[in-house]
Amino acid sequence: MFKRKIYDEMKKWKEESDGMSALLIEGARRIGKSTVVTEFAKNEYKEFLLIDFSICEEAIKTNFDNIGNLDMFFRNLFVLMEKVLPVGQSLIVFDEVQLFPKARQAIKQLVKDGRYHYVETGSLISINSNVKDILIPSEEESLKMYPMDFEEFLWANGNYVYMDAIRDSFEHRKPLGGDIHRKIMQMFRNYMAVGGMPQAVSAYVEGKDFRAIDRVKRNIIKLYTQDLKKHDRDDGDRASLVFKSLPEQLMNHNSVFRYSVVDESARQKNCMNAIDFLGESMIVNNCLNVTKPDVSLALYSDRSKFKMYMGDTGLLISYLLQNSKETPDKMYRALILDNLGINQGMIFENMVAQMLRTNGYELYYHEFTYKAENNETEKPYEVDFLLVRGKRIVPIEVKSSNYRSHKSFDYFKTKYEVKMNERYLIYAKDLDVAEDITYIPIYMTCCL
């Protein structure tokens, strides 16, 4: 069991809700939902029951027909589970609730009854398609869970000092110094390579080689692909094809999604449901173009033009390297040593998207044209990410190296009269401040 930040959010739910609502933990598969919920149940309640709908016997499911008579429901449940729960001190967990929507619908009556607390876990890859015929309970709160972030990765490796130094450097706008920056950057490159899926992190912590770590991640990708193919068969969708195209999408110039990469017949009208589904399932992070850099970014989002990033950068790297003739150990070593012969810009950009999404930001970017004094015509430019903080625009540029050029930043500032908070250029070097641009190392993205 790794220390996860969502645990404290769950404790807060328990204290504030006091049984007046159930909690649904949403997220992609294999990110550790069941593990953290089980740990929470063990530590925060006197007793608990966990009903895993992926393996439970049919009689437990049939018992939900008795939800109108809760005395009978609980009597049967305790007989079937061979365990009795003390009232007011216990938690019932509905694990993989997307596989049995009837249990989710029963939350309304169960919460109203008040005998126990309830937590549900669900993989969004199928939870949304399995609620068509049920009434979603208003007594349900939800928390989104993501792959392990850099701080959680550090905790897993017994490191509780790096993040304090990172936050202090960011807050005071003072560089860490070359030696410290290099140590943290080295650890961050390991984090990018491993990713935040708990099974992969566990393999890394146990000292397994990158061949074994890569095998774990490829198995997760295979699992996602199988799930998506099943979704496509059931719903007549193209989600598996869109997902398969992701590495090539990110290799494109400026990474803007191209339907032709999916297949020859792919168009917006026959792919949009799949794209939305992948985003809602949290397997990918979609980043929408905005036609106007305004603090109400969502109002100016253009759904016809977007970028798609992998939800976990470690999985992206395994996806990118799956056809490589080199051994995994050699390729991962090259990545960690900043000596990989592929476009690392997309890896950095994917990592920044993942970190911003984990911090709760929706993802937006902006394309614009500008005619500089030395140009005869307007040329296209792009700001990689736009955030809003304190009712001000925060433009972000991502560089995969020590490169500090920022034409798009300058032209953006000249073209638009918008109130900007700060401008951040994210790159591989130590923190620096020059004029109104703050240059931050990529691991400091978590401070935004």
Side-chain angles (χ1 to χ4, degrees):
M1 170 63 193
F2 295 125
K3 182 180 179 182
R4 303 297 298 270
K5 294 178 181 178
I6 198 170
Y7 189 100
D8 289 336
E9 296 182 63
M10 295 170 68
K11 286 180 66 176
K12 185 178 179 182
W13 160 79
K14 181 190 176 188
E15 294 166 4
E16 295 181 352
S17 168
D18 193 26
M20 299 302 291
S21 67
L23 180 65
L24 172 65
I25 307 296
E26 302 176 303
R29 292 185 70 181
R30 298 296 177 89
I31 60 167
K33 299 185 299 296
S34 301
T35 303
V36 74
V37 168
T38 302
E39 192 73 9
F40 175 75
K42 288 178 180 177
N43 296 341
E44 306 302 328
Y45 291 87
K46 185 174 181 179
E47 292 287 352
F48 76 97
L49 274 182
L50 187 146
I51 304 173
D52 184 346
F53 288 109
S54 68
I55 59 173
C56 73
E57 58 182 292
E58 192 63 32
I60 291 175
K61 296 180 180 179
T62 303
N63 186 42
F64 278 84
D65 293 338
N66 299 315
I67 205 70
N69 184 340
L70 288 175
D71 290 336
M72 181 183 293
F73 172 80
F74 287 120
R75 183 199 67 194
N76 293 351
L77 179 65
F78 296 154
V79 169
L80 292 166
M81 300 291 290
E82 299 183 354
K83 186 174 185 178
V84 176
L85 300 180
V87 172
Q89 306 173 70
S90 306
L91 176 72
I92 296 178
V93 178
F94 292 164
D95 197 24
E96 302 290 357
V97 73
Q98 80 279 1
L99 299 176
F100 191 62
K102 198 170 184 178
R104 190 178 178 193
Q105 182 170 261
I107 285 295
K108 185 177 184 68
Q109 293 97 318
L110 293 171
V111 167
K112 185 178 180 181
D113 174 68
R115 297 182 216 190
Y116 308 107
H117 289 188
Y118 299 89
V119 171
E120 309 159 275
T121 75
S123 167
L124 285 175
I125 198 164
S126 55
I127 200 168
N128 292 330
S129 59
N130 283 358
V131 295
K132 297 172 183 176
D133 301 320
I134 72 166
L135 182 66
I136 302 298
S138 59
E139 294 78 7
E140 180 184 270
E141 298 182 36
S142 64
L143 287 175
K144 292 187 182 299
M145 188 173 179
Y146 298 92
M148 296 172 70
D149 67 16
F150 184 44
E151 185 169 19
E152 291 171 330
F153 180 79
L154 291 173
W155 292 341
N157 286 276
N159 188 314
Y160 291 85
V161 296
Y162 279 10
M163 195 54 66
D164 287 341
I166 290 168
R167 291 194 178 106
D168 186 72
S169 172
F170 180 82
E171 182 180 347
H172 295 97
R173 300 299 191 266
K174 297 292 184 181
L176 286 160
D179 291 339
I180 295 175
H181 164 71
R182 281 189 289 272
K183 284 177 70 71
I184 297 177
M185 194 65 199
Q186 181 74 15
M187 180 60 89
F188 188 80
R189 285 189 176 277
N190 277 276
Y191 169 60
M192 284 200 300
V194 174
M197 307 305 282
Q199 285 178 290
V201 175
S202 180
Y204 176 81
V205 171
E206 292 167 6
K208 294 182 179 178
D209 61 22
F210 277 106
R211 185 188 300 273
I213 295 169
D214 191 66
R215 187 179 301 114
V216 169
K217 294 191 292 174
R218 293 191 190 201
N219 284 336
I220 294 173
I221 293 170
K222 182 179 179 181
L223 177 69
Y224 284 178
T225 303
Q226 290 171 344
D227 284 346
L228 292 171
K229 285 182 178 178
K230 182 180 184 304
H231 164 78
D232 289 347
R233 286 195 300 271
D234 294 344
D235 289 52
D237 213 342
R238 309 165 73 99
S240 60
L241 294 176
V242 173
F243 182 66
K244 184 179 179 181
S245 77
L246 184 52
E248 188 175 347
Q249 299 286 357
L250 289 171
M251 288 180 185
N252 288 336
H253 172 66
N254 76 9
S255 303
V256 173
F257 190 90
R258 294 192 333 202
Y259 293 97
S260 60
V261 175
V262 178
D263 63 33
E264 292 181 358
S265 63
R267 300 290 186 274
Q268 182 180 354
K269 64 180 180 180
N270 59 23
C271 286
M272 212 61 230
N273 287 340
I275 290 162
D276 289 342
F277 175 77
L278 285 166
E280 291 169 359
S281 301
M282 297 168 69
I283 294 177
V284 305
N285 293 316
N286 292 328
C287 180
L288 300 181
N289 179 52
V290 291
T291 57
K292 180 181 177 181
D294 184 89
V295 290
S296 302
L297 291 172
L299 294 178
Y300 297 96
S301 59
D302 177 8
R303 287 170 54 82
S304 68
K305 184 171 285 189
F306 65 97
K307 300 181 183 183
M308 180 179 286
Y309 300 103
M310 186 78 86
D312 179 74
T313 304
L315 294 183
L316 172 64
I317 289 170
S318 289
Y319 220 154
L320 291 169
L321 301 183
Q322 63 184 345
N323 296 320
S324 173
K325 296 179 181 179
E326 301 286 355
T327 63
D329 274 340
K330 185 174 181 179
M331 296 300 291
Y332 277 95
R333 196 177 305 115
L335 170 68
I336 293 166
L337 296 175
D338 192 16
N339 193 30
L340 191 62
I342 63 174
N343 175 13
Q344 291 196 61
M346 64 176 167
I347 297 175
F348 265 52
E349 201 169 313
N350 197 92
M351 189 76 251
V352 170
Q354 179 182 339
M355 295 172 82
L356 293 176
R357 195 71 190 91
T358 301
N359 278 4
Y361 291 106
E362 297 292 336
L363 301 181
Y364 300 99
Y365 75 101
H366 179 59
E367 291 181 334
F368 65 98
T369 57
Y370 185 79
K371 182 179 179 301
E373 291 182 2
N374 56 339
N375 291 337
E376 295 182 0
T377 59
E378 288 189 333
K379 292 187 176 181
Y381 297 93
E382 179 185 302
V383 175
D384 291 328
F385 298 100
L386 287 179
L387 310 180
V388 174
R389 283 181 14 192
K391 296 184 179 180
R392 291 175 181 265
I393 291 288
V394 181
I396 294 174
E397 187 79 11
V398 182
K399 307 289 183 182
S400 62
S401 62
N402 303 332
Y403 194 52
R404 291 170 61 115
S405 174
H406 45 78
K407 279 186 179 180
S408 59
F409 257 17
D410 295 336
Y411 297 155
F412 177 82
K413 182 180 178 181
T414 303
K415 179 166 183 171
Y416 298 107
E417 295 182 2
V418 294
K419 292 182 179 180
M420 283 188 278
N421 193 305
E422 281 187 274
R423 294 190 291 167
Y424 292 98
L425 191 145
I426 297 172
Y427 68 157
K429 288 185 70 176
D430 200 357
L431 184 143
D432 191 18
V433 179
E435 298 176 353
D436 64 338
I437 297 179
T438 303
Y439 300 83
I440 61 173
I442 186 170
Y443 55 74
M444 218 168 272
T445 306
C446 62
C447 298
L448 296 177

